[in-house]
Amino acid sequence: MQNKVFSIDPSTGKKINSYDLDSDHVVNEKIRMADKVFKEWSIKSHNDRALCLEKVSLKIKDMKQKIAETITAEIGMPISQSLGEVDKALQLIDEVVKNGPTQLAPREVPSAKSRVEYAPLGVCLSVAPWNFPFYLALRSIVPNLIAGNTVVLKHSVTCQGVAHLIEECFSNIEG
């Protein structure tokens, strides 16, 4: 089994960086950690989760150029489009932060004499493609987080640099 994957600049064919593949043990530990965090995350209010996502947005804004340059290096997307992809992800977060708490709030349905409530499910797996490596990953991560779930990301092997930057953006969002 190959223990490393490489980011390759598609315009030159040269290696940009190498990344260690996670062993089965490491993957299982990440899932256990996501489950442990879920127990705390799931009981937070939607508004508290939205505040954490605002912190993620600030980190992304601070790292925007680095993220875009990594997207460009790893998949060959022009830098202007890579910057646009980061902006689209920021718009997604803003939309979820603005509307998520209201959309997920419990509500009465008088005509059915019932109540609708959204409950977190647990640890979710996000499998992200290579073609829009930042936005498409966040498109599955962010709604799950506002809903109270936790997420383990399996990114395309061609975009490991982007995957590591995503992890950096989401690390320590509570503290």
Side-chain angles (χ1 to χ4, degrees), residues 48-89:
D48 287 344
R49 293 183 208 134
L51 290 173
C52 292
L53 289 171
E54 285 178 341
K55 292 178 185 178
V56 171
S57 181
L58 292 173
K59 282 186 178 183
I60 292 170
K61 287 174 185 171
D62 288 343
M63 297 171 58
K64 179 179 175 178
Q65 189 67 34
K66 182 178 182 180
I67 295 165
E69 288 171 359
T70 303
I71 294 168
T72 294
E74 289 188 331
I75 70 165
M77 184 184 286
I79 191 70
S80 61
Q81 291 178 13
S82 297
L83 289 164
E85 181 179 348
V86 177
D87 285 338
K88 188 171 181 169

Side-chain angles (χ1 to χ4, degrees), residues 5-8 19 70-71 73-76 85 128-134 153-166:
V5 292
F6 300 93
S7 291
I8 308 289
Y19 301 93
T70 303
I71 294 168
E74 289 188 331
I75 70 165
E85 181 179 348
W130 66 270
N131 54 335
F132 290 92
F134 194 74
L153 173 65
K154 189 282 179 207
H155 215 306
S156 169
V157 294
T158 61
C159 305
Q160 291 300 295
V162 175
H164 284 273
L165 292 174
I166 291 170

Side-chain angles (χ1 to χ4, degrees), residues 2-161:
Q2 182 183 4
N3 294 342
K4 289 191 176 290
V5 292
F6 300 93
S7 291
I8 308 289
D9 181 333
S11 66
T12 65
K14 293 183 179 178
K15 292 178 185 174
I16 300 168
N17 209 338
S18 66
Y19 301 93
D20 292 326
L21 288 174
D22 288 342
S23 67
D24 290 348
H25 174 75
V26 170
V27 170
N28 287 330
E29 282 302 311
K30 288 181 178 183
I31 293 168
R32 276 193 278 283
M33 180 60 74
D35 186 53
K36 180 181 175 185
V37 170
F38 170 73
K39 288 171 178 54
E40 301 162 16
W41 184 252
S42 64
I43 60 174
K44 288 185 174 298
S45 72
H46 295 110
N47 288 327
D48 287 344
R49 293 183 208 134
L51 290 173
C52 292
L53 289 171
E54 285 178 341
K55 292 178 185 178
V56 171
S57 181
L58 292 173
K59 282 186 178 183
I60 292 170
K61 287 174 185 171
D62 288 343
M63 297 171 58
K64 179 179 175 178
Q65 189 67 34
K66 182 178 182 180
I67 295 165
E69 288 171 359
T70 303
I71 294 168
T72 294
E74 289 188 331
I75 70 165
M77 184 184 286
I79 191 70
S80 61
Q81 291 178 13
S82 297
L83 289 164
E85 181 179 348
V86 177
D87 285 338
K88 188 171 181 169
L90 288 166
Q91 290 171 354
L92 167 74
I93 295 170
D94 289 346
E95 180 73 19
V96 168
V97 164
K98 178 182 172 190
N99 297 314
T102 303
Q103 291 172 343
L104 293 170
R107 61 184 173 276
E108 302 295 326
V109 183
S111 61
K113 296 181 183 175
S114 61
R115 179 177 168 89
V116 175
E117 289 195 29
Y118 297 94
L121 298 172
V123 179
C124 298
L125 172 65
S126 175
V127 180
W130 66 270
N131 54 335
F132 290 92
F134 194 74
Y135 171 71
L136 290 179
L138 267 63
R139 192 175 81 173
S140 66
I141 294 169
V142 171
N144 269 298
L145 291 177
I146 195 75
N149 300 309
T150 55
V151 180
V152 174
L153 173 65
K154 189 282 179 207
H155 215 306
S156 169
V157 294
T158 61
C159 305
Q160 291 300 295

